[in-house]
Amino acid sequence: ASAATSLPEVRKPSLAIDLIVDGKRVTLPDTEPYIDDAGNTMVPIRFVSEKLGADVKWDNGKQIVTIIHKGNTIVMPVGSKKVTVNGSEITLDTMAIKKESRVVVPLRFVSETLNTEVKWDGAWSAVNIVSPEYQSKIDNGAVTLDRWGRELRANQNSDEWILMSDTPDNVYKIGKYKITHTDTQRPAKDYYNLFSKEDLDRIVKNIKEYYRLALNVDFRSINPTNYFQQSFKLQGSNGYLNPTPFTNTANFIKQNKVISEGYAYPDPTTLYYFHGTVFMRTKFKFRVLNANDYSQFNMDSIDPSASSESPKWVKKGQWYETYSDVSLFTNHQDFQSTLKIGSTENMFVKEYYVHKELK
């Protein structure tokens, strides 16, 4: 009974939201942004201090957060829609709240009060935040952005990749593996340009949706039949998928008492074609909150094939960031518009991924 009461509450999984601040996609070390019932994007206060450069003060006794930035002061009592901006009281349609012992605040209100521009791109679930100083760099050509508002490195010295300023070098050094064995190859540097932003957004959203399902599992609520049916909708197929691997996975999650959460952040500029398969390099963020065996927690890691592995380095409750390639598939003639998730083993293919603990 005491073990049961120590488990986290059953949560509704959130779709990954990319946060781009002054041209760089950011990774938060713990609590992720989410959209509340009123449609507001909520972010942890740590994001405001570290990424927006504000001075944040927390009064634990009064449960009040104070945000100071370039002469602007916002006072936000937790649990109240009444806030104070530079001494004047304002009533919002949302409020600062406590979530998993972290204070989260409404992003748009805070960002715009701190004089930054906020744009929501629902096509791929992303928020782009631009400060006046960075906008000046854009306007005078000091920086170059891709179609999603991310900054390209000034030195594009790769024959394979479009190099992004927010992506570490080791991510571009991850090897490429063959699934099929035709001879044709097309590097991301030219292949992704065959796709419109609309097509790439759809692929990104498909990967995010699939891993919202695959990484957010709870042994107390998972239903094997529903798990297969939802997976089927998100996967590229010939119109048929064998339900057995999916129902076996769901049943193992029950047996292994898995509770996990996570997110996928595909990079549309990395779409490439390699020996008959299309791939998109993807950043993952996840943690396993409960399990008998912490190395087997989702479809990618449970009973892996000879080419994949169960990550033995996973620790209870620790957030991880990993990068690997997600394979895509379609048998439709309208190739660009119908690519979907093509494999259930993407995250832990042996020797073809990198990982680190988030601090």
Side-chain angles (χ1 to χ4, degrees), residues 10 53 75 100 130 159 171 190 235 275 288 312:
V10 177
V75 180
E100 298 173 8
V130 180
D159 294 329
V171 172
D190 70 315
Q235 292 217 307
H275 292 281
V288 183
K312 303 298 184 184

Side-chain angles (χ1 to χ4, degrees), residues 84-95:
T84 304
V85 179
N86 298 328
S88 299
E89 188 175 85
I90 296 173
T91 300
L92 305 179
D93 62 355
T94 188
M95 63 187 79

Side-chain angles (χ1 to χ4, degrees), residues 111-228:
S111 297
E112 291 181 348
T113 304
L114 301 183
N115 195 30
T116 60
E117 183 180 19
V118 182
K119 293 181 180 179
W120 167 253
D121 189 341
W124 68 300
S125 183
V127 176
N128 199 320
I129 303 167
V130 180
S131 67
E133 296 80 8
Y134 194 74
Q135 185 61 52
S136 296
K137 292 182 179 180
I138 297 171
D139 295 341
N140 64 29
V143 297
T144 303
L145 306 181
D146 71 359
R147 286 182 267 179
W148 295 268
R150 292 171 60 211
E151 182 181 313
L152 279 68
R153 294 189 193 182
N155 188 2
Q156 292 291 321
N157 58 355
S158 172
D159 294 329
E160 294 185 273
W161 306 103
I162 298 165
L163 302 177
M164 308 306 298
S165 63
D166 57 22
T167 304
D169 288 339
N170 67 327
V171 172
Y172 294 116
K173 293 176 182 177
I174 299 171
K176 300 175 179 179
Y177 60 93
K178 296 180 183 179
I179 293 179
T180 53
H181 295 279
T182 63
D183 292 332
T184 310
Q185 300 182 45
R186 294 289 299 272
K189 195 156 192 173
D190 70 315
Y191 187 69
Y192 107 108
N193 283 312
L194 301 177
F195 293 72
S196 67
K197 181 181 183 296
E198 182 181 17
D199 288 332
L200 290 165
D201 286 343
R202 186 199 58 77
I203 294 169
V204 166
K205 202 76 169 283
N206 171 251
I207 296 172
K208 286 187 175 186
E209 290 280 9
Y210 175 78
Y211 276 99
R212 172 163 64 172
L213 174 67
L215 280 173
N216 294 275
V217 298
D218 192 318
F219 76 94
R220 298 164 296 181
S221 58
I222 193 167
N223 178 288
T225 301
N226 290 345
Y227 182 75
F228 166 69

Side-chain angles (χ1 to χ4, degrees), residues 335-348:
F335 190 78
Q336 280 91 338
S337 297
T338 56
L339 278 171
K340 290 184 176 182
I341 283 281
S343 170
T344 58
E345 286 190 335
N346 300 293
M347 293 180 66
F348 307 114

Side-chain angles (χ1 to χ4, degrees), residues 1-7:
S2 62
T5 57
S6 68
L7 295 175

